[in-house]
Amino acid sequence: MSLVDTVKGKVQRMLTEELGSIKIDRDGDFIITHESAVVFVSVFAFNDKEDSDIVIRCTSPMIKDAPLTSELTKWVAIEGQHFSFGSCNLNPNEDGTTAWIYFRYAIVGNDLDSNELISAVYRTVFTANQLDDELKSKFGGKLFTED
């Protein structure tokens, strides 16, 4: 069993102990929801080396199809980076005129303990839940959870 698989099993046990049950998507990411926020917890090697650090990334897609404006890119580049834990990211759509806004937070998982993991998940889900409505109102687009 690889180190990634070992850490992934540990993450699943910790999340299940904290939340009671956990959903897993087709990519193998763990899914946590809270109000309008959804967090995908992924586990992967930092690089292809056998002794690589293991990364646990919490990603919350907040807004989809927001008009890609200079005001949005400036907000993501400046204000979206001013969080003590995590940051906002922008992923332009292929059309070049709209984008997705994410909140991401990553930790090293090699010597993971439960408090560290649960803290990362909660920081991500609560921050995203607080930001998503504000960002939609300010920049447009749809909440990730909207059809």
Side-chain angles (χ1 to χ4, degrees), residues 18-32:
E18 176 71 17
L19 303 169
S21 66
I22 193 76
K23 293 180 184 176
I24 303 173
D25 70 9
R26 64 177 166 232
D27 295 325
D29 294 340
F30 306 105
I31 305 169
I32 293 91

Side-chain angles (χ1 to χ4, degrees), residues 3 7 10-11 42-44 46 51-57 105-113 116-117 120:
L3 183 55
V7 173
K10 189 175 182 180
V11 167
S42 54
V43 180
F44 57 94
F46 180 70
D51 62 345
S52 174
D53 283 330
I54 304 301
V55 178
I56 300 169
R57 181 181 294 148
Y105 181 33
I107 58 176
V108 176
N110 297 51
D111 297 315
L112 183 67
D113 68 42
E116 182 179 24
L117 173 66

Side-chain angles (χ1 to χ4, degrees), residues 13-134:
R13 283 189 303 279
M14 290 175 179
L15 291 173
T16 301
E17 287 173 8
E18 176 71 17
L19 303 169
S21 66
I22 193 76
K23 293 180 184 176
I24 303 173
D25 70 9
R26 64 177 166 232
D27 295 325
D29 294 340
F30 306 105
I31 305 169
I32 293 91
T33 59
H34 173 71
E35 296 179 5
S36 63
V38 178
V39 175
F40 297 88
V41 180
S42 54
V43 180
F44 57 94
F46 180 70
N47 59 37
D48 292 332
K49 297 179 182 175
E50 192 168 312
D51 62 345
S52 174
D53 283 330
I54 304 301
V55 178
I56 300 169
R57 181 181 294 148
C58 300
T59 302
S60 182
M62 297 180 292
I63 303 295
K64 57 187 177 182
D65 301 328
L68 192 53
T69 63
S70 58
E71 292 81 14
L72 173 59
T73 56
K74 181 178 178 182
W75 185 93
V76 170
I78 299 172
E79 292 179 50
Q81 305 307 305
H82 284 207
F83 296 90
S84 296
F85 300 96
S87 62
C88 290
N89 302 90
L90 194 61
N91 190 6
N93 290 326
E94 287 184 17
D95 67 10
T97 63
T98 58
W100 288 61
I101 308 170
Y102 296 87
F103 187 81
R104 289 194 175 122
Y105 181 33
I107 58 176
V108 176
N110 297 51
D111 297 315
L112 183 67
D113 68 42
S114 183
N115 288 338
E116 182 179 24
L117 173 66
I118 301 307
S119 176
V121 169
Y122 284 157
R123 287 178 195 275
T124 304
V125 77
F126 293 148
T127 301
N129 189 60
Q130 179 183 357
L131 277 176
D132 60 4
D133 290 319
E134 174 187 328

